[in-house]
Each structure stands twice: as C-alpha cells, then as structure tokens.
Amino acid sequence: MVPTRLLAYFRQRYEGRVEIGADGQAYQVPDPRGGYADERLHLAVSEDGRRFAPLNGGKPVWDRWVRDPFLSRAPDGTWHLVGTTRGPGAILHATSRDLRSWEAEDVPVLEGLRDRDGRPANNAWAPEWVWDDQTEEFFVFWSSSFERHGWMKSRLYACRTRDWRTFSSPSLLFAPPYSVIDGSLLRHGNRWWLFHKEEEFGPETGERRAIRLAVSDNLEGPYETIGEPIAPTITEGPCAVADPVEPGWLLYYDYCMADGYGLARSGNLVDWTPVVESDFPEGARHGSVSELTPEDAPLFQSFAFGESGG
C-alpha cells in the first residue's frame, strides 16, 4: 500500500444519546447494546481516501487519553496533534516526527475568556489548528460554552501561538444564530471554508445536529453561513481534504450516534454528494484526515495493519 491519506481518531460507542423533551429538559436515551470507550489515539491509512486500514493491528498507537484528535503537519515537518483533554481550561498538544514517540502537555487556551457576567468557559472541545503563513503562527480554535452543558449556546473561539507555550488572548471566531461546535478550516483560493456542526435539537428547533458550511475572505472572519446542512443528521466532527483520486474534495464526518463514519464528495466545496463505497475502522469517532506523500511511506512500514470494518 502507498498511503495518500492518514486518519487520526479515537474509538467509542456511546451508551446513549442526549434528547430534549417537550419540557425543554435534557434526557439521556440509553442504547440497549451498551457502550465502550477507547479514548486514545488510533491511526489508519488509505490509498484512495475512501477505504481506510487501521494501523498497529487496530490498537492505539499512543497510550494517552484523548478525544477528538486533530493531526496535521507544520511547515518544518513536525506532526502536531491537538485534542480534547481532561485538564480544565486546556487542550492537549503533542508533537512527533515519527508518529510513534510523542512529547505532550496540556496547554491553557482559555485564560481570560469570560462572558458578560464574568463566568469562565467550562470546556474547550475539539480543538484544531491551521498554519498562518502570513504571520508564521499557529492559529488554534475550538468550541466553548458558559452554560451547564458544553453543547448549549456554544461558540467557536481562537488564539495564536508560535511556540505552544505563549498564547494570545482568546477571541470570538464564529457566533452564528445557533449553537456551534466542531469547527474545521480549509483554505482554498483566497477564502477560508469553515465546516462546523450546528448543535440545535429539541421541540423548538427540531433535529438540526448536522454539518454546515461558512466562508470568509479572512482567517479571523467574519464568517458567513452558506445554505442548509451539507451532511445528514446526526453527524459531527467534519474534516475536508483534497480528493486523491480526482479533482475535488472529500468531506469526512462522524455518525456519532449510529456507530458509523460518513463521506461526501464535492467539486466546488458547496454542493456535496454522499460516497457510498467507503470503509472505516470499527468504532471510529471524530477524527481528522491528513494528506501524505510517497516520501511518508517509511513511517508506516513497521506498523501492523489491522482489519477495517466500519
């Protein structure tokens, strides 16, 4: 196999799902199958971006707790991983040159973030980063809420860093008229494309937990939402990359309550068509996809391949 795409993910089957009752309260609806969690870093590779084979025999490649892993490579060739961590007010940041050995720490990105009443944000979910070649900085962004549940009235925030030790003050990145989590950025041409999850559901809004798209001419916004959701409900954890097979893009998303991964294709980043022929590792949750080159092949020669089976 000559891999062209790398999927970083964690594994889980949720014990149930959150629903909003007619009284406006949140309720947990249990899954009769039961759940499991393997909240550590897993990797899988693909030649066509559609069928992924797990590495390391389907076992974690790093024994550290992490959710929502986002993995990408900086201009100097270093892999930078960020993810949701247990540390209050922080995100996980780790670096590696070989995808086997990692240097990691929880880094504070929420310092100084308060709402109008002076309340601190209670979570920093699904962080990602992009490289700003104009300022030569990492642009780091995530979702936060000041409410009792992290998905309520959530917004996207961002900060900048050069060394992952000193960070600019967090600022509001995207505040649409709906709760939003799971932002993911793609640069194409002179525009930034912000894929994200609308996190609205209940008697007042109906079921609207799905992937949407916003665009801006500037990395820091303002972003304008385009149209309606571009993926089925209930989906989250979007990631868009170039299609390795033909001109266009592939959009990956997690069917978080249905134990599956989804894939769609577009030639213009606006109109998306589901890809039926795809295969992902069993239990894969909220991952990210990176582009690989033939020079990366030695990275994977010593990894054992597992059986895919999404």
Side-chain angles (χ1 to χ4, degrees):
M1 173 185 285
V2 180
T4 67
R5 297 295 181 267
L6 174 67
L7 172 66
Y9 62 100
F10 74 101
R11 296 179 68 244
Q12 185 177 49
R13 184 170 70 209
Y14 292 105
E15 296 181 358
R17 66 182 187 276
V18 175
E19 297 289 352
I20 303 296
D23 58 0
Q25 298 299 310
Y27 294 92
Q28 187 78 22
V29 181
D31 188 326
R33 300 171 299 175
Y36 67 83
D38 193 0
E39 296 164 315
R40 293 174 289 173
L41 179 64
H42 292 70
L43 298 177
V45 291
S46 173
E47 290 185 307
D48 61 4
R50 292 154 172 81
R51 299 169 180 82
F52 285 84
L55 297 180
N56 202 35
K59 299 178 181 179
V61 299
W62 186 34
D63 192 20
R64 166 130 183 189
W65 191 93
V66 64
R67 292 175 60 93
D68 317 321
F70 175 82
L71 181 64
S72 190
R73 192 157 33 189
D76 67 357
T78 302
W79 291 95
H80 287 259
L81 171 74
V82 292
T84 304
T85 186
R86 292 189 174 105
I91 63 173
L92 172 67
H93 172 248
T95 57
S96 178
R97 299 291 296 191
D98 59 6
L99 299 176
R100 286 184 170 277
S101 57
W102 297 86
E103 295 184 5
E105 62 181 341
D106 287 352
V107 295
V109 295
L110 295 184
E111 290 186 358
L113 184 60
R114 298 287 189 274
D115 69 0
R116 293 180 179 178
D117 297 324
R119 296 181 301 173
N122 63 22
N123 63 312
W125 279 357
E128 297 197 7
W129 65 268
V130 294
W131 177 254
D132 187 345
D133 53 13
Q134 294 184 347
T135 63
E136 296 187 339
E137 293 174 307
F138 295 93
F139 184 80
V140 188
F141 54 101
W142 65 92
S143 68
S144 286
S145 172
F146 299 94
E147 304 299 324
R148 67 182 186 277
H149 298 298
W151 45 264
M152 295 178 63
K153 299 180 182 179
S154 184
R155 299 289 182 256
L156 299 185
Y157 296 87
C159 66
R160 292 175 175 271
T161 183
R162 283 191 169 91
D163 57 9
W164 293 94
R165 296 186 182 278
T166 303
F167 298 86
S168 65
S169 297
S171 60
L172 185 64
L173 176 64
F174 185 47
Y178 47 83
S179 186
V180 57
I181 64 173
D182 296 358
S184 187
L185 282 168
L186 171 72
R187 186 177 184 180
H188 175 60
N190 295 321
R191 309 191 82 184
W192 288 92
W193 303 75
L194 176 60
F195 299 86
H196 59 277
K197 179 188 181 183
E198 176 181 357
E199 189 70 302
E200 296 284 357
F201 55 101
E204 294 184 0
T205 63
E207 180 57 83
R208 297 190 60 83
R209 286 176 282 191
I211 310 305
R212 302 192 70 171
L213 178 61
V215 297
S216 177
D217 294 331
N218 301 297
L219 174 57
E220 293 181 322
Y223 285 87
E224 179 182 356
T225 303
I226 298 177
E228 289 295 310
I230 58 176
T233 56
I234 302 171
T235 50
E236 64 184 28
C239 180
V241 298
D243 186 341
V245 175
E246 54 185 319
W249 293 267
L250 296 176
L251 174 65
Y252 302 85
Y253 42 85
D254 174 6
Y255 282 99
C256 51
M257 301 300 174
D259 296 332
Y261 230 82
L263 178 63
R265 189 187 181 282
S266 175
N268 59 11
L269 288 174
V270 176
D271 305 300
W272 295 88
T273 302
V275 176
V276 178
E277 296 292 331
S278 62
D279 193 17
F280 294 90
E282 189 272 331
R285 295 274 80 83
H286 194 135
S288 64
V289 176
S290 307
E291 297 185 22
L292 299 171
T293 68
E295 289 72 27
D296 292 316
L299 288 174
F300 309 104
Q301 290 177 351
S302 60
F303 277 108
F305 284 83
E307 293 295 328
S308 58

